[in-house]
Amino acid sequence: MLRSTEDLGLPGESDERRQEVRQWLAEHPKPTGRQLAEAGYVAPHWPRPWGLDADPVHQLIIDDELRRARVTRPLNQIAIGWAGPTIIHAGTRQQKERYLLPMLTGEEIWCQMFSEPGAGSDLANLSTRAVRDGDGWRVSGQKVWTSGAQYSKFGILLARTNPDVPKHQGISYFICPVDAPGVVVRPFREMTGGSLFTEVFFDDVYLPADNLVGDEGDGWQLAKVTLSNERVSLSSGGALWGGGPTAYDLIEVVRSRGGTTDPLSRDRLAQLYVDAEALRLLRLRAVAASLSGEPPGPEASVRKLLADEHGQDIMNLARDLAGADALLDGAGPLGDKSQDWHFGWLFAPALTIGGGTAQVQRNILAERILGLPRGRDPHEGLGWSEAHGTGRSA
Amino acid sequence: MNIMERVALTAEQEELRSSVRRLLGRWCPETEVRRLMETDTGFERDVHVRLAQEIGAVGLAVPERFGGAGASWREVAVVAEETGRALYGGPYLSSAVLSAGALLATEDEQACRDYLPALVKGEILASLAFVEPDRRWDAASTGTRAVWREGGYSLAGSKLYVIDGHTADLLLVTARIDDTTALFAVDRAAKGITTALQPTLDRTRKLAEIQFEDAPARLVGAPAHGVEAVSAAVRAGCAALVAEQVGGAQRLLEIGVDYANTREQFGRPIGSFQSIKHMCADMLAQVESARSLAHHASWAIAVDHPDAAAVVHAAKSLCSQTFLSVAATTIQIHGGIGFTWDHPAHLYYRRAKSDEVLFGTPAEHRTLLASLLGI
């Protein structure tokens, strides 16, 4: 009775777009990343020639057909979600020709060099400097929480090109090769014991003029660019930002072991199911709005807030269901051996921190959706240097 | 039904919503809510008739052959959400949802032909009576007995928490014939029936206690289907109730945010303080979650989905928690003024508490849900 696929009422077998994908798959039975990219299937929502200008229905049809054929597309989240759309929006023809296709084929992986030790929630406060050097720039500073830099070819780098104007205005958007001289990537160990994240140090790194995207000072706006034709997809609702076990998986573990005799645990599981259903339906509402060309409603904004805490609830309950064995490494609910639960519990605190803390999310909901007054930033209107007491006196 | 109909309102449903909101705004503003809640009746008959006849709201889920609009429980939920928003105290839940739902679920064509047309027009009011002194929300649990006497059935027993029971013309009553719980239609004006209004926490929801002593009754539907028919009616009742809860919670969110933006202390609107902002953001998240589940519940009932019972349990649990939590938070945001009689917050707070208990608490629904999930 727990279903994991939605009946979206997508066009059926005879639909031309479906037939087109099947035809292509028949001609390319085990497609490579390059083949998928050249066919426009890696990011179909992107404009041609890199994508298919696919509207939401078309995107979901492609997703459906590829899933049925068990074809996985190259994973390159930062590239496809962030760097690519920005280059499409504001890049030069040369930048588009150089960077877009290798993103889609998965040959060049990208990372996001945004956060710094002094600029987390207040990202605009970043201090990594890019100073003019002839036609190019010299970059010095440090980034942190850069996931995947160890295996990335390029990074989207936000750096300060003008310290004399207010903080948001003096930031520029660069493409930084991770192997450029002066770039040092240092993985660090996070709470889980793993090293998904890195620090990246920039010691006088030279970036040529071609590596600036858009104009100097456009960085903050460009960092927020998403395509007007957004990607629509169905997330499975995994606890860890869409990945990993779902509440339904936990319930299935319990169910397949004959249920639990503890009424409190049973109640918590039922509550978890209720929350999972509410989230699933919120996602469905967002997809439905996309499919009918409607603007996203408030349900889109509340989702991250709810999903992050829901992910923590899943992992906390899973650990509690391990009983006293929760004392041990690798504990899973009712003795389940999957390492996902152990890793997930240790990763869970990150959910309400990364990608925007839960506190900032609430501020955004309150201010942008409910129209409550914005908080006053004491640095507002001041030049960045001035605000930091390092500028010239008036 | 495609995805849009599952999760969002159609254009027609939006129009229906607007019509009901306009009608209730005109005929049942807060002043009327306050006036009527102090009366025994609790509502103006002609407002119910307006809903029934100007909008056809009472017969939305009733097939055309019985005088209804032949729409669905989804449309009923749209109306219910507006009644919840307005704290409407009239017999919509009792007549249009529980009673119409019970009659239709018995599949007794004759009884439907006899009662539904007048019900749909608002000419008669009806209430479902199934809760016994053991206070269980279980359709099968009944001590009320029906015996065959002088060519008809006669009921003996008592019922509690009969919504709008004191103003109903027709009562639909569960009673045991031997070991089988069946459904009966009873004319409340007939002999052997004593009705007493129960003193409710929520004065906008009238509940009656009804005693039956050798009261004449007519069997509706086959005795073996009585429990299923009443269960179906209560499921539809829950789907409407969760819609009411979302309507009330949404109204409270608006009131709370409006106050946070207007009330100034320490030289600025209190909504500029992060703690207030966060309370409002949490209310928004809760209301949107509740709305998602409430829509899903009325959709599932409307399409007779095999998982409808589980969906309704989930919705009743979450929407009850949300409405009550949002009511409490709204009072908190208002500070002292939220604690006054004159401010509407407490009226919603009482309604939220009452709705939380009606048809089973969140914990009771989660227990039933857990069984259905096999855990």
Side-chain angles (χ1 to χ4, degrees):
Chain A
M1 104 165 212
L2 299 176
R3 54 266 172 275
S4 55
T5 53
E6 313 291 348
D7 172 22
L8 297 172
L10 288 179
E13 307 291 304
S14 58
D15 186 270
E16 209 169 77
R17 294 164 290 187
R18 253 191 217 285
Q19 289 305 319
E20 201 181 302
V21 185
R22 290 189 186 175
Q23 175 72 13
W24 186 87
L25 284 168
E27 291 161 11
H28 306 81
K30 282 196 194 302
T32 61
R34 180 152 279 264
Q35 287 173 326
L36 284 162
E38 284 169 353
Y41 286 142
V42 177
H45 61 298
W46 281 14
R48 294 181 192 270
W50 313 283
L52 300 172
D53 281 305
D55 70 9
V57 176
H58 194 181
Q59 290 176 48
L60 290 173
I61 288 174
I62 292 170
D63 283 359
D64 200 31
E65 289 303 319
L66 292 179
R67 189 176 27 242
R68 280 191 215 208
R70 298 189 198 285
V71 168
T72 17
R73 285 173 281 194
L75 273 182
N76 201 350
Q77 254 178 318
I78 300 298
I80 292 172
W82 299 90
T86 304
I87 290 171
I88 289 170
H89 174 77
T92 60
R93 192 168 51 82
Q94 291 96 311
Q95 285 169 338
K96 292 175 191 176
E97 282 171 10
R98 168 61 187 83
Y99 295 111
L100 293 178
L101 189 58
M103 277 182 194
L104 296 169
T105 62
E107 287 157 15
E108 291 178 347
I109 306 295
W110 287 62
C111 61
Q112 193 178 53
M113 299 159 165
F114 281 12
S115 296
E116 299 182 358
S121 292
D122 186 6
L123 182 60
N125 191 41
L126 61 89
S127 62
T128 295
R129 276 287 268 128
V131 178
R132 272 280 190 185
D133 181 350
D135 284 342
W137 283 266
R138 287 272 170 200
V139 179
S140 289
Q142 184 196 344
K143 296 291 178 183
V144 73
W145 298 115
T146 311
S147 59
Q150 322 90 310
Y151 47 77
S152 296
K153 186 88 164 80
F154 293 106
I156 307 171
L157 170 65
L158 289 182
R160 187 164 303 284
T161 41
N162 186 347
D164 298 325
V165 295
K167 61 187 178 185
H168 296 90
Q169 297 168 24
I171 297 171
S172 299
Y173 190 112
F174 294 95
I175 297 169
C176 181
V178 176
D179 58 5
V183 176
V184 175
V185 174
R186 193 185 299 160
F188 63 78
R189 214 171 168 204
E190 56 263 1
M191 206 172 119
T192 59
S195 290
L196 289 175
F197 299 99
T198 67
E199 293 177 293
V200 183
F201 296 88
F202 301 86
D203 185 9
D204 223 29
V205 175
Y206 180 73
L207 293 179
D210 293 340
N211 285 45
L212 176 70
V213 180
D215 292 328
E216 223 185 291
D218 281 351
W220 189 251
Q221 291 311 312
L222 290 178
K224 295 191 286 191
V225 160
T226 48
L227 293 177
S228 55
N229 184 21
E230 273 210 40
R231 179 179 201 160
V232 172
S233 70
L234 297 175
S235 161
S236 69
L240 311 179
W241 288 324
T246 63
Y248 307 111
D249 289 332
L250 182 57
I251 286 164
E252 182 52 28
V253 165
V254 175
R255 199 199 58 78
S256 63
R257 280 164 169 70
T260 169
T261 52
D262 173 29
L264 284 176
S265 295
R266 193 178 301 121
D267 189 61
R268 283 176 71 190
L269 282 162
Q271 182 69 67
L272 199 71
Y273 177 83
V274 172
D275 293 341
E277 282 291 283
L279 270 165
R280 181 178 70 81
L281 291 162
L282 282 168
R283 286 196 301 274
L284 209 58
R285 281 171 68 187
V287 170
S290 294
L291 291 180
S292 60
E294 305 261 338
E299 70 273 2
S301 314
V302 307
R303 260 166 48 216
K304 177 171 161 60
L305 184 66
L306 289 172
D308 290 343
E309 294 183 5
H310 177 64
Q312 290 172 340
D313 291 342
I314 294 172
M315 288 304 161
N316 286 332
L317 182 51
R319 193 140 200 115
D320 289 349
L321 287 168
D325 274 357
L327 287 167
L328 307 175
D329 253 3
L334 302 186
D336 188 279
K337 295 282 178 241
S338 162
Q339 287 300 303
D340 285 348
W341 305 108
H342 174 77
F343 175 81
W345 188 83
L346 287 168
F347 192 85
L351 298 175
T352 45
I353 297 172
T357 65
Q359 285 67 37
V360 167
Q361 290 296 322
R362 285 181 168 90
N363 281 0
I364 290 173
L365 281 175
E367 291 164 10
R368 296 199 204 150
I369 308 292
L370 297 175
L372 291 171
R374 290 194 56 212
R376 220 177 40 86
D377 184 337
H379 293 164
E380 205 166 311
L382 296 178
W384 183 82
S385 290
E386 206 186 329
H388 287 267
T390 56
R392 293 172 295 219
S393 48
Chain B
M1 240 190 230
N2 69 20
I3 185 182
M4 280 307 290
E5 286 167 43
R6 285 176 67 175
V7 298
L9 295 190
T10 61
E12 291 82 11
Q13 288 163 350
E14 279 292 352
E15 259 210 55
L16 173 63
R17 177 214 280 293
S18 305
S19 313
V20 177
R21 189 175 290 199
R22 259 196 316 273
L23 190 152
L24 292 177
R26 169 107 196 268
W27 298 107
C28 199
E30 189 186 324
T31 45
E32 275 299 279
V33 171
R34 286 180 181 271
R35 182 183 72 79
L36 290 164
M37 77 186 196
E38 303 298 348
T39 67
D40 278 353
T41 316
F43 64 97
E44 283 293 348
R45 189 58 183 258
D46 55 56
V47 176
H48 178 75
V49 172
R50 278 181 198 280
L51 271 174
Q53 295 183 3
E54 282 174 28
I55 294 183
V58 177
L60 284 168
V62 175
E64 286 176 8
R65 69 182 185 283
F66 301 129
S72 77
W73 294 113
R74 194 55 189 272
E75 280 71 27
V76 165
V78 170
V79 176
E81 189 175 330
E82 291 303 312
T83 67
R85 179 189 173 85
L87 272 184
Y88 174 61
Y92 190 72
L93 184 64
S94 46
S95 283
V97 188
L98 291 161
S99 301
L103 283 166
L104 289 168
T106 61
E107 296 181 336
D108 184 331
E109 278 290 309
Q110 189 60 56
C112 286
R113 263 203 299 278
D114 290 341
Y115 300 121
L116 284 174
L119 188 70
V120 163
K121 286 203 276 259
E123 288 166 2
I124 61 166
L125 302 173
S127 291
L128 180 65
F130 70 102
V131 183
E132 298 261 323
D134 67 357
R135 291 158 170 80
R136 295 177 57 204
W137 301 98
D138 177 0
S141 153
T142 185
T144 302
R145 281 171 297 113
V147 295
W148 186 262
R149 189 171 291 167
E150 298 159 8
Y153 280 103
S154 160
L155 300 190
S158 59
K159 299 291 184 184
L160 297 179
Y161 312 139
V162 183
I163 305 174
D164 304 315
H166 64 312
T167 47
D169 303 298
L170 169 70
L171 293 172
L172 294 166
V173 186
T174 51
R176 257 189 308 123
I177 303 173
D178 299 324
D179 287 328
T180 309
T181 298
L183 187 66
F184 292 86
V186 175
D187 174 358
R188 203 175 65 85
K191 69 171 177 76
I193 298 167
T194 321
T195 312
L197 201 54
Q198 295 184 270
T200 49
L201 168 72
D202 172 14
R203 299 184 191 191
T204 67
R205 182 86 76 193
K206 303 299 186 191
L207 302 176
E209 181 177 341
I210 305 184
Q211 314 280 353
F212 302 88
E213 211 178 300
D214 192 20
R218 165 184 168 176
L219 177 66
V220 179
H225 296 154
V227 171
E228 184 37 47
V230 175
S231 299
V234 174
R235 267 198 301 277
C238 283
L241 189 59
V242 297
E244 285 190 22
Q245 290 169 320
V246 169
Q250 174 64 33
R251 180 74 194 117
L252 285 167
L253 174 63
E254 291 164 15
I255 290 172
V257 167
D258 188 59
Y259 190 74
N261 260 324
T262 332
R263 166 74 169 174
E264 291 197 6
Q265 290 284 264
F266 306 108
R268 52 194 140 148
I270 61 171
S272 64
F273 293 104
Q274 203 167 89
S275 59
I276 301 285
K277 274 190 216 187
H278 287 197
M279 286 159 77
C280 291
D282 285 337
M283 286 199 292
L284 174 66
Q286 287 177 289
V287 170
E288 288 306 318
S289 294
R291 186 191 309 287
S292 301
L293 271 178
H295 269 166
H296 193 48
S298 59
W299 171 81
I301 303 272
V303 303
D304 206 16
H305 197 280
D307 294 342
V311 177
V312 168
H313 289 315
K316 182 62 176 47
S317 173
L318 188 73
C319 296
S320 297
Q321 289 171 320
T322 296
F323 191 20
L324 189 57
S325 167
V326 169
T329 303
T330 302
I331 293 174
Q332 183 68 20
I333 288 172
H334 281 79
I337 201 165
F339 187 67
T340 64
W341 188 268
D342 289 345
H343 193 280
H346 78 105
L347 298 178
Y348 286 92
Y349 186 60
R350 289 167 182 254
R351 174 63 75 92
K353 189 63 186 174
S354 170
D355 285 355
E356 187 206 32
V357 176
L358 211 54
F359 307 138
T361 62
E364 285 166 352
H365 280 274
R366 286 196 303 273
T367 301
L368 293 168
L369 175 62
S371 300
L372 290 174
L373 291 173
I375 53 179

